[in-house]
Structures are given as C-alpha cells and as structure tokens.
Amino acid sequence: KQHGADILRLWVASEDYSSEVRISDDILSSITDKYKKIRNTLRFLLGNLYDFNIDESIDFNQLEEIDKWILTRLSSIKERYNKYFGSYLFHLGLSEIINFCSNDLSSIYLDIQKDVLYTYSHNSKERKSSQTAISLIFKEVSLMLAPVLSFTIEEAWKANPLTKDSVFIGQLSDDTFVDLEIQSKWDKLLDVRDQVLKEIEVKRKMKIIGNSLEAKVSLTCDNSEMGFLNDNLELIKKVLIVSELNVSKGI
C-alpha cells in the first residue's frame, strides 16, 4: 500500500538472487529514489516530444554530434542489457539502464540540451536533431524497462504521441548506432568536463559562484592537447555550460 507494485517489482529485479536477498525500509527507500529518477527522466523526454512528428526524424549521419554520441551510448547500453537479461542477470541489466538515465541522460545530455530544446526555433535543425534522438531513446528505454516497471511504462507509452497500442506489443529494434571517432572524442570531452566540474563544485561550496554559468574557465594544457581543445572550444564550452572559456599553453 505504501510503495505500489512497480517499486516492489523494481526491488525484485534489482536483487542478485544468487546471494542472500534482503529487504528493509531503507532498501525500499533507495529503490524508490531509483524509481523516481527513471520516472522523472521519462517525463522530461515526453515533455520534449509534444510537438515532434516522426516524419521529421533526421537520419543518424545527419544528426548533430551530441545527438550521435548519446545514441552510440544507447546502443552500448542496449547491447549489455540484452546480454545480461539473456543470461537472467536482471540486476546487472537494470543497473545499466538506471545508470544511463542518471548519468548519460540526466546529468550530461539533457542538461546540455536544455537550451536547444527550450529556446531554439521549433523548426531548427538542432532542435529536430535532439528530438529525433530523444524519440529513439524514449522508445528503446521504455521497451527495456517494460518487463520490470510494467504499469509505469505502459502509462508513459500511452502518453507519448509517437507510440500506439501497448508497450507489450512492441519490441526492441535491431538498430545499432556506432561512431568510434565520436565516441573517442567525447571520452576526451567528458574527461575535461569531469575535471572542470570538480573545481566548479569547490567554488560553489565556497559561495564564490552559484552555478556553472557564472564561471569563467581557464584551461592550461601542453602541446599535445592544445590542438584538440582549440578545435573544440565552442563544443567544450557547451558541454561545461559555462559563460566563458579560455585555453592557454602551460606545463
């Protein structure tokens, strides 16, 4: 009565049944937090598909770089999910999806894309590119979660103007998005992001700044990194969500 069926289903699927299975109020509270993260992510995805028509979808090769990157991440997650669920390791497969929702989607991709989704023209290529990626992500993530969060996913599926019938009639696509060059590039970009955000968080705790947009960032690098940083200056600025970014040579 307190948590509902999907919380219980999520707890069951999250447990490693090969060892001792535990349950307590604290464990269910932790499971509830995971559930809320998934639900909020799905709501955000749905909220940005209200004016998108599937006929407006853009081919993968024509997508913006950040949208290509998140779809390559989705494909990696789906591959591991299929492997784990095929081996009945449901807790590992579920962990992949939850981490994808919390990290790749909420903390990185959707946070960076808010400007594009909220302020760009309805017909701009950047916004249509992002909506194309979001529509694919919503569909694939929903289908992966349906065996566990059956009631929640069915509700979300029917709220999506792009999907019809029931989620339990659908099946995961065989589409795989791969771009090794972009994957390698974004590994470097996110490494820079992690380092800078650690410093920004220090300044936030010291009450020097309120959020990343108030930060002016100066990066010092050696010759081997100078070219990469200069070539991707605007992209790095977008990834960091800062107001100003400078790169200089140093030791």
Side-chain angles (χ1 to χ4, degrees):
K1 290 181 180 180
Q2 182 178 348
H3 297 288
D6 274 354
I7 299 295
L8 188 64
R9 293 171 69 93
L10 186 57
W11 164 70
V12 171
S14 298
E15 287 295 312
D16 179 3
Y17 58 80
S18 65
S19 59
E20 186 176 5
V21 175
R22 302 174 183 273
I23 190 169
S24 67
D25 287 339
D26 287 343
I27 290 174
L28 287 178
S29 178
S30 174
I31 293 294
T32 301
D33 288 341
K34 292 179 180 178
Y35 171 81
K36 287 178 179 177
K37 171 58 69 176
I38 293 170
R39 188 180 178 90
N40 288 339
T41 301
L42 291 174
R43 285 183 64 185
F44 190 92
L45 296 175
L46 275 177
N48 287 286
L49 291 174
Y50 74 96
D51 61 348
F52 182 68
N53 190 305
I54 201 67
D55 295 333
E56 300 172 314
S57 297
I58 298 174
D59 184 73
F60 177 76
N61 294 324
Q62 304 301 318
L63 291 175
E64 296 294 306
E65 187 174 303
I66 187 172
D67 302 315
K68 287 182 180 179
W69 168 74
I70 195 63
L71 289 180
T72 63
R73 291 291 301 137
L74 174 67
S75 289
S76 297
I77 297 301
K78 188 168 71 170
E79 181 182 358
R80 291 196 290 274
Y81 165 90
N82 283 329
K83 181 184 73 173
Y84 287 135
F85 266 59
S87 302
Y88 306 103
L89 299 173
F90 306 117
H91 63 293
L92 295 180
L94 193 58
S95 179
E96 291 285 345
I97 307 173
I98 292 173
N99 288 335
F100 176 68
C101 289
S102 298
N103 301 324
D104 297 295
L105 275 181
S106 296
S107 296
I108 301 175
Y109 177 73
L110 296 176
D111 198 29
I112 294 170
Q113 290 296 81
K114 282 178 182 176
D115 273 353
V116 169
L117 293 167
Y118 293 163
T119 68
Y120 278 50
S121 165
H122 165 77
N123 292 316
S124 68
K125 180 179 181 294
E126 292 88 349
R127 192 165 183 272
K128 293 302 180 189
S129 177
S130 185
Q131 288 181 306
T132 298
I134 286 174
S135 67
L136 291 169
I137 291 166
F138 176 85
K139 183 179 180 182
E140 297 289 79
V141 168
S142 294
L143 288 166
M144 286 189 279
L145 286 171
V148 180
L149 302 179
S150 304
F151 300 101
T152 300
I153 299 304
E154 180 75 341
E155 179 187 355
W157 190 265
K158 290 183 176 179
N160 183 3
L162 303 178
T163 51
K164 300 177 181 179
D165 301 318
S166 168
V167 68
F168 302 108
I169 297 176
Q171 62 181 17
L172 283 171
S173 73
D174 294 326
D175 295 338
T176 300
F177 303 106
V178 179
D179 192 316
L180 298 179
E181 185 177 337
I182 283 181
Q183 287 176 262
S184 176
K185 178 179 178 178
W186 274 78
D187 284 345
K188 290 183 180 180
L189 291 173
L190 294 178
D191 183 52
V192 173
R193 178 182 181 273
D194 289 343
Q195 295 180 55
V196 172
L197 290 190
K198 286 178 184 178
E199 294 300 319
I200 288 177
E201 185 59 27
V202 171
K203 301 302 181 187
R204 286 184 66 253
K205 289 181 178 179
M206 295 170 63
K207 309 292 185 183
I208 295 174
I209 59 173
N211 58 57
S212 61
L213 276 173
E214 297 177 16
K216 173 184 176 182
V217 176
S218 296
L219 298 176
T220 304
C221 60
D222 56 26
N223 285 332
S224 63
E225 296 295 329
M226 193 72 177
F228 175 79
L229 294 178
N230 277 327
D231 290 344
N232 296 284
L233 205 57
E234 284 304 310
L235 182 56
I236 295 171
K237 183 178 175 181
K238 180 179 179 179
V239 168
L240 295 176
I241 317 178
V242 295
S243 58
E244 189 173 339
L245 176 65
N246 298 309
V247 177
S248 59
K249 182 180 175 182
I251 300 174

